[in-house]
């Protein structure tokens, strides 16, 4: 059948504001999660990861929060800059999958207004 | 340290042809995974190789195949190309399980 493009959720923020991007993951057996940023024409770029034995992890200007009870992951970007404009994907690695397979969410498009 | 390198960056092929894409992982990384990215389906896992063995496989037809060499470089092959195979094919490498997976720039395949 005809392919229909995914309608990505979008988030528009003002430069300097904080951004929160949310993700619901699918597999309660997943034990490792990664956030990626993808700019137009480029491959996904690793931002930050978190293991299931943690609730929170901080990086440079980014924080990832994991709520295993409701299978929810969020990425917080502090002081958002125009260079942060991109599509953001969460990815999970199911424990019951041997090896490195990642399952990706649909992505959220972040637009930063100067 | 060089990143993940994928070649070629762009390809145009005709329906029915076959194509081979190449991926050189980050030095020291033994796991190489392949993904297909399309506007309709997003990022979908194709397969993963570790130490020259396919360790995991996604839900793609047998026309999609891959291999890994002793130096960890990997190739994927798509035979009997269909229009729907047009996509960005991404390769990711990692040192091991539950470690960061780093992606290459991808190969943009267009089937006409």
């Amino acid at each position: 059948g005809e392919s229909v493009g995914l309608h990505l959720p979008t988030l528009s923020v003002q430069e300097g504001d904080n951004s929160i991007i949310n993700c619901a993951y699918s597999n309660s057996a997943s034990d490792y999660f990664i956030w990626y940023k993808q700019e137009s024409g480029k491959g996904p770029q690793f931002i930050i990861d978190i293991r299931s034995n943690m609730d929170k992890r901080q990086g440079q200007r980014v924080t990832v929060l994991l709520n295993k009870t409701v299978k929810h992951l969020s990425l917080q970007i502090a002081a958002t800059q125009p260079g942060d404009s991109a599509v953001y994907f969460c990815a999970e690695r199911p424990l019951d999958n041997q090896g490195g397979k990642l399952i990706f969410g649909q992505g959220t498009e972040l637009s930063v207004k100067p | 340290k060089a990143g993940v390198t994928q070649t070629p960056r762009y390809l145009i092929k005709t329906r029915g042809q076959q194509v081979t894409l190449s991926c050189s992982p980050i030095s020291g990384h033994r796991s190489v995974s392949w993904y297909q990215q399309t506007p309709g389906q997003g990022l979908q896992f194709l397969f993963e190789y570790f130490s020259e063995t396919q360790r995991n496989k996604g839900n793609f037809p047998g026309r999609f195949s891959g291999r890994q060499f002793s130096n960890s470089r990997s190739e994927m092959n798509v035979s009997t190309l269909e229009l729907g195979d047009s996509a960005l094919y991404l390769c990711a490498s990692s040192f091991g399980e539950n470690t960061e997976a780093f992606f290459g720039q991808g190969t943009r395949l267009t089937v006409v």
Side-chain angles (χ1 to χ4, degrees):
Chain A
E2 185 179 354
S3 174
V4 178
L6 283 174
H7 180 68
L8 293 181
T10 57
L11 176 65
S12 184
V13 300
Q14 203 71 38
E15 181 179 0
D17 287 352
N18 296 334
S19 303
I20 299 177
I21 300 171
N22 296 302
C23 175
Y25 63 91
S26 59
N27 193 326
S28 58
S30 294
D31 68 338
Y32 179 60
F33 305 87
I34 309 177
W35 278 100
Y36 286 95
K37 169 187 180 184
Q38 188 175 25
E39 297 172 283
S40 181
K42 297 185 178 181
Q45 176 188 353
F46 174 90
I47 301 174
I48 191 168
D49 60 358
I50 188 168
R51 286 166 173 73
S52 59
N53 60 352
M54 303 172 70
D55 298 323
K56 177 179 179 179
R57 190 166 188 223
Q58 288 184 288
Q60 188 178 16
R61 282 201 307 119
V62 295
T63 300
V64 54
L65 299 176
L66 174 62
N67 185 330
K68 295 181 286 293
T69 303
V70 294
K71 294 191 290 184
H72 184 268
L73 201 63
S74 69
L75 177 71
Q76 300 177 1
I77 305 174
T80 314
Q81 302 167 1
D84 295 327
S85 294
V87 177
Y88 288 80
F89 294 94
C90 65
E92 61 182 296
R93 183 164 290 167
L95 183 61
D96 52 2
N97 266 292
Q98 182 188 12
K101 174 182 177 178
L102 291 173
I103 300 172
F104 282 83
Q106 66 179 79
T108 296
E109 184 169 9
L110 175 65
S111 175
V112 182
K113 295 176 285 187
Chain B
K1 198 174 190 180
V4 179
T5 305
Q6 291 188 247
T7 56
R9 288 293 310 277
Y10 303 93
L11 266 178
I12 299 176
K13 289 286 189 178
T14 304
R15 272 182 301 177
Q17 287 187 311
Q18 73 160 13
V19 67
T20 299
L21 312 181
S22 179
C23 172
S24 292
I26 292 172
S27 178
H29 285 191
R30 295 166 63 190
S31 169
V32 174
S33 297
W34 289 90
Y35 294 82
Q36 182 196 65
Q37 187 174 29
T38 61
Q41 300 297 324
L43 274 152
Q44 292 190 294
F45 174 80
L46 279 156
F47 29 65
E48 182 209 4
Y49 287 87
F50 184 87
S51 294
E52 302 178 65
T53 301
Q54 188 180 85
R55 186 160 69 172
N56 228 324
K57 191 176 189 307
N59 296 323
F60 279 82
R63 298 185 299 107
F64 293 81
S65 63
R67 60 177 175 169
Q68 187 179 33
F69 302 95
S70 58
N71 62 358
S72 293
R73 190 177 71 85
S74 177
E75 291 181 345
M76 69 163 281
N77 184 277
V78 188
S79 62
T80 320
L81 283 165
E82 302 176 359
L83 295 179
D85 297 332
S86 295
L88 180 67
Y89 289 89
L90 291 158
C91 164
S93 80
S94 61
F95 180 75
E97 294 180 27
N98 287 358
T99 60
E100 306 97 301
F102 296 94
F103 282 83
Q105 297 277 55
T107 294
R108 173 73 63 185
L109 172 65
T110 302
V111 182
V112 298

